[in-house]
Amino acid sequence: MRNNINPKVTLVGAGPGDPELITWKGILALSKADVVLYDALVDKSLLNHAPKTAIKVYVGKRNKVKGNPQEETNHLCVYHAKKHGHVVRLKGGDPFVFGRGSEEVDYIQSFGVATEVIPGITSSVAVPAAAGIPVTKRGVSESFWVITGSTTAGKLSRDVELAAQSTATVVVLMGMGKLPEIVKLFKMSDRASTPIAIIQSGTTKEEKIVAGNIEDIEEKATLAGVGTPAIIIIGEVVRESPRLMDVYREAVYIDHH
């Protein structure tokens, strides 16, 4: 370990996928990094903002394919901070929106290492917005829920059932594996005709959108081959997107970028 080193870890939200949607403050943090630990959903072009001498370490986890478990990532944050100085932990979306950022901060600080959090643009709002879907709109939706599709126990959050009984917009992250359960809950609440959109790889060149209603979305998603990472948006606001208007004129819509 170098002398007069000042260990620090900065958690930086990289945004929803489009590398231009990182904040300026996030870029400045990257420019001062000695080490960058980055996730699977981070566009690798963002690493170009870090010094050429900075160590870049991939710590991604995608679905059931295990890269580094969370415990190992926590350990690497502390290890590199104490050995090299400033670590930037680059995370997709916002670190504190289902990003386990708070857990990482708790762990890092328990070793006496300073931390800073630089918020990111969360995909829960930005991905629908980029597709023309406002999560709220006067006279249409007064609020919105953001719910994880899978709890730590691997089950669908009970909040989905509560949200299905409201008039709020419902945004489900990491929920594709639970789509049949989500559909069932909304049908049980007599909302089979409620508009729904699924956006895969939102804000990126690989973006794919399929939209319809609760009644037909499973069939449409299968035909479109929509996979992960994807965001599910449920509510009347889905009809407000100019890009999806044809769907609700009973036309099939699948958009490939």
Side-chain angles (χ1 to χ4, degrees), residues 16-18 21 123 125-133 198-210 224-231 233 241 243-244 253-257:
D18 181 343
L21 289 176
S123 58
V125 174
V127 167
I133 302 172
I198 300 172
I199 306 177
Q200 176 186 330
S201 302
T203 77
T204 73
K205 294 178 180 178
E206 291 74 40
E207 181 179 278
K208 181 188 293 186
I209 303 176
V210 61
V226 177
T228 59
I231 290 177
I233 306 104
S241 169
R243 291 172 59 185
L244 301 180
Y253 178 95
I254 300 172
D255 181 27
H256 295 269
H257 281 263

Side-chain angles (χ1 to χ4, degrees), residues 35-257:
V35 181
V36 181
L37 306 181
Y38 64 99
D39 281 349
L41 297 180
V42 170
D43 190 298
K44 290 185 179 179
S45 68
L46 290 175
L47 300 178
N48 294 330
H49 294 291
K52 291 183 179 180
T53 54
I55 300 168
K56 287 91 172 178
V57 182
Y58 173 73
V59 291
K61 300 181 291 294
R62 294 292 288 273
N63 299 329
K64 296 180 181 178
V65 179
K66 292 187 177 180
N68 293 299
Q70 184 65 45
E71 293 77 12
E72 178 65 13
T73 298
N74 292 346
H75 167 75
L76 287 173
C77 286
V78 174
Y79 169 79
H80 284 294
K82 290 191 172 183
K83 184 174 182 180
H84 300 289
H86 184 209
V87 174
V88 167
R89 175 73 175 97
L90 191 60
K91 303 170 72 68
D94 179 274
F96 281 5
V97 180
F98 303 124
R100 303 188 72 172
S102 182
E103 296 173 41
E104 293 182 10
V105 168
D106 290 344
Y107 181 90
I108 295 163
Q109 289 184 343
S110 73
F111 287 86
V113 175
T115 62
E116 180 182 0
V117 178
I118 298 177
I121 298 174
T122 173
S123 58
S124 60
V125 174
V127 167
I133 302 172
V135 292
T136 63
K137 184 174 181 179
R138 186 178 299 223
V140 180
S141 175
E142 299 172 352
S143 60
F144 64 97
W145 295 58
V146 180
I147 308 173
T148 178
S150 183
T151 65
T152 52
K155 298 180 179 180
L156 182 67
S157 171
R158 294 179 63 184
D159 287 343
V160 176
E161 182 177 359
L162 296 173
Q165 299 170 43
S166 76
T167 58
T169 302
V170 181
V171 180
V172 184
L173 307 184
M174 301 170 287
M176 283 302 292
K178 300 290 195 300
L179 183 60
E181 293 178 55
I182 294 168
V183 165
K184 182 179 179 180
L185 287 173
F186 274 80
K187 285 182 177 179
M188 288 172 59
S189 295
D190 295 322
R191 298 188 62 189
S193 62
T194 302
I196 177 173
I198 300 172
I199 306 177
Q200 176 186 330
S201 302
T203 77
T204 73
K205 294 178 180 178
E206 291 74 40
E207 181 179 278
K208 181 188 293 186
I209 303 176
V210 61
N213 55 51
I214 291 293
E215 188 69 52
D216 64 14
I217 194 62
E218 288 183 85
E219 180 181 0
K220 284 187 172 183
T222 299
L223 289 173
V226 177
T228 59
I231 290 177
I232 301 168
I233 306 104
I234 307 169
E236 293 301 321
V237 292
V238 176
R239 297 183 194 271
E240 302 299 315
S241 169
R243 291 172 59 185
L244 301 180
M245 283 183 177
D246 286 346
V247 174
Y248 302 105
R249 295 188 185 116
E250 299 184 344
V252 177
Y253 178 95
I254 300 172
D255 181 27
H256 295 269
H257 281 263

